[in-house]
């Protein structure tokens, strides 16, 4: 397995701050690995809600996670405020790949990084549907900045 290309803060235009919680720590005193995926999910959906106006409760389409991965590079623990960088890696017809990185405050290198893929489907029949053009235009502004 090859090492991932390390992400830096300058590659992201959208950041979402999250306060780690006491319950995030595991018995070893650091944030449990599954919690990183929760941070990714929260930050990716925050980008959609804040920047595209996506209405998670009433939209005719919803995004379902079909793929995700995370590489753990440094420990996180409670109490810390982390900054989750979100960028768009690829926009397909009905899918959206987010590139994500978790940064400790004021750090340039990611403490963890990964990706998350949404496939957009009709809320009622769960059939894949094209990402709306207005959402596409906004998300193009958040493409991952390659070094």
């Amino acid at each position: 397995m090859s090492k991932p290309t390390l992400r830096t803060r300058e590659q992201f235009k959208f950041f979402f701050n999250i306060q780690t919680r006491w319950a995030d720590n595991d018995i070893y005193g650091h944030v449990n690995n599954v919690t990183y995926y929760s941070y990714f999910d929260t930050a990716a959906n925050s980008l959609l809600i804040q920047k595209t106006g996506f209405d998670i409760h009433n939209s005719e389409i919803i995004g379902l996670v079909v793929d995700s991965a995370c590489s753990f590079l440094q420990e996180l623990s409670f109490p810390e405020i982390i900054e989750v960088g979100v960028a768009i890696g690829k926009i397909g017809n009905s899918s959206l790949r987010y590139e994500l990185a978790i940064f400790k405050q004021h750090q340039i290198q990611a403490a963890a990084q990964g990706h998350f893929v949404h496939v957009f489907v009709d809320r009622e029949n769960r059939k894949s549907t094209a990402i709306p053009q207005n959402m596409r235009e906004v998300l193009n502004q958040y493409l991952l900045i390659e070094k």
Side-chain angles (χ1 to χ4, degrees):
M1 180 176 230
S2 63
K3 281 184 105 174
T5 302
L6 296 179
R7 301 280 185 216
T8 59
R9 186 178 290 277
E10 65 194 14
Q11 294 180 271
F12 299 88
K13 293 181 185 174
F14 181 84
F15 290 88
F16 188 77
N17 292 351
I18 297 174
Q19 169 68 59
T20 60
R21 303 164 303 168
W22 174 257
D24 294 348
N25 280 1
D26 61 19
I27 194 143
Y28 305 113
H30 60 256
V31 171
N32 189 277
N33 62 320
V34 299
T35 307
Y36 289 69
Y37 289 96
S38 175
Y39 299 154
F40 283 175
D41 196 13
T42 298
N45 280 291
S46 294
L47 171 68
L48 287 181
I49 293 164
Q50 291 178 21
K51 300 303 181 183
T52 73
F54 188 68
D55 183 346
I56 60 171
H57 300 291
N58 299 306
S59 176
E60 292 179 6
I61 64 172
I62 58 174
L64 301 179
V65 177
V66 297
D67 185 40
S68 63
C70 183
S71 295
F72 307 96
L73 307 167
Q74 294 177 9
E75 287 186 357
L76 301 174
S77 63
F78 173 83
E80 269 186 278
I81 295 175
I82 58 169
E83 300 164 332
V84 184
V86 183
I88 305 302
K90 181 180 179 196
I91 302 175
N93 181 51
S94 62
S95 65
L96 186 57
R97 180 182 167 113
Y98 306 89
E99 299 296 333
L100 301 117
I102 297 172
F103 298 91
K104 293 182 177 194
Q105 282 192 313
H106 312 298
Q107 283 196 339
I108 294 170
Q109 291 285 111
Q113 64 187 42
H115 71 266
F116 198 85
V117 177
H118 269 151
V119 169
F120 288 88
V121 299
D122 180 274
R123 183 182 294 272
E124 298 300 319
N125 66 26
R126 297 296 201 257
K127 292 192 182 195
S128 70
T129 187
I131 297 169
Q133 188 59 34
N134 60 336
M135 182 184 286
R136 212 177 265 288
E137 289 170 7
V138 171
L139 293 172
N140 271 317
Q141 299 171 43
Y142 295 93
L143 292 174
L144 182 68
I145 300 167
E146 296 294 341
K147 299 197 278 185

